[in-house]
């Protein structure tokens, strides 16, 4: 079984034949780079608009194109999908711990020594020289794979495979603030940080990695309405308030409901506590470990744990900013069934 992260040696040992397979996609990518609409980037200098969504040219766009052209789905695949900063780190650990609960006791759990991304690989953070899309073949079924790719951009073969998706979203105001902190941290030191005013402006225009946020959410929401047995729609705020309630729903959806015996032993509560922000963010591996996503991108695990709270945006955004985002949310989600009073502060 492939373990994640893959070592640098594993990347380098890819054969020329394998690299050849990606050549055409690479050429298409290079040709397209000049033609796609450009917007100001948050972490990278600019983002590019591809099939209606904005991508970091290096990580996001390459990854999406590799998936579209080379990923081989299996009907048993389980995807964790989300816009960025909506809770994938957390849900990764909950899904991994729930799916593998018969294998791992909490006292000796792999998540004690491996960061959340190490147990649950990303589908779409690859580049052309790594070719690790083919490494995903080595994972036994059912595969757990995380993705930020918007629903309309998923290859038809993935949808047709009948695989399952768990989607998580969050109050866009908190997403904006979380993104702003995270992407500024990852930004090369020689570039000036993005101000919150600039980030707000870009976010509202939909110009951000994988944006527009609202279109991303709506894509999966509509699909979940059509196929509720295939797409479980979760909200960070609900999970935060009642983790074990939603964890039980998740387990049912994943085909591994908690048994009566497990209910008595409060296994769901124990997993929820183990995966809580307080517990995970204090583990040595998440304070000091580094996640290597591909040969070019490595991120310190601590960057994935900031505050883990609902409503931190109130401490950063002005009333006008809050009103403006709420206004967009109302307009975009109007008639979708997604709006709740709690989501709108103003
Ligand atoms: P990603 O898009 O880079 O994968 P993602 O994990 O989706 O990031 O989101 C990170 C947010 O989840 C952070 O929110 P904040 O900036 O508002 O604090 C992070 O703190 C939060 N988070 C990480 N782990 C947990 C957890 N176990 N429980 C609750 N929130 C968490």
């Amino acid at each position: 079984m492939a373990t994640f992260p893959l070592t640098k040696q594993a990347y380098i040992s890819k054969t020329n034949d394998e690299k050849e397979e990606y050549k055409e996609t690479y050429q298409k990518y290079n040709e397209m780079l000049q033609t796609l609409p450009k917007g100001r980037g948050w972490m990278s200098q600019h983002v590019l608009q591809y099939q209606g969504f904005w991508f970091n040219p290096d990580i996001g766009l390459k990854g999406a194109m590799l998936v579209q052209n080379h990923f081989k789905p299996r009907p048993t695949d389980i995807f964790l999908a989300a816009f960025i900063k909506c809770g994938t780190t957390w849900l990764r650990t909950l899904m991994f711990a729930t799916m593998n609960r018969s294998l791992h006791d909490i006292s000796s759990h792999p998540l004690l020594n491996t960061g959340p991304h190490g147990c649950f690989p990303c589908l779409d953070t690859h580049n052309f020289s790594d070719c690790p899309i083919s490494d995903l073949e080595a994972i036994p079924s059912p595969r757990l794979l995380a993705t930020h790719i918007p629903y309309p951009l998923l290859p038809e073969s993935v949808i047709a495979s009948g695989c399952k998706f768990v989607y998580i979203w969050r109050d866009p105001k908190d997403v904006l603030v979380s993104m702003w902190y995270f992407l500024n941290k990852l930004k090369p030191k020689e570039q000036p940080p993005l101000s919150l005013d600039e980030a707000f402006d870009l976010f509202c225009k939909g110009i951000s990695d994988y944006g527009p946020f609202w279109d991303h959410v709506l894509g999966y929401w509509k699909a979940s309405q059509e196929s509720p047995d295939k797409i479980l729609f979760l909200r960070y705020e609900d999970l935060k308030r009642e983790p074990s309630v939603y964890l039980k729903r998740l387990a049912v959806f994943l085909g591994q409901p908690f048994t009566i015996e497990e209910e008595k032993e409060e296994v769901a509560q124990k997993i929820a506590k183990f995966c809580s922000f307080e517990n995970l963010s204090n583990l040595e591996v998440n304070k000091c470990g580094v996640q290597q996503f591909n040969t070019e991108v490595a991120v310190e695990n601590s960057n994935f744990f900031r505050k883990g709270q609902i409503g931190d945006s109130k401490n950063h955004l002005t009333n006008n900013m809050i009103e403006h985002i709420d206004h967009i949310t109302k307009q975009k989600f109007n008639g979708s069934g997604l709006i709740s009073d709690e989501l709108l502060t103003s």
Side-chain angles (χ1 to χ4, degrees), residues 85-90 170 178 236 275 277 304 306-308:
K85 312 324 285 177
C86 285
T88 42
T89 302
W90 183 21
R170 185 183 187 186
S178 185
Y236 180 94
C275 297
F277 182 88
F304 294 102
R306 191 182 64 92
K307 280 200 168 173

Side-chain angles (χ1 to χ4, degrees), residues 6-19:
L6 294 165
T7 59
K8 266 197 166 182
Q9 280 73 16
Y11 292 129
I12 293 160
S13 70
K14 289 290 157 206
T15 63
N16 283 341
D17 279 355
E18 276 177 291
K19 289 183 181 172

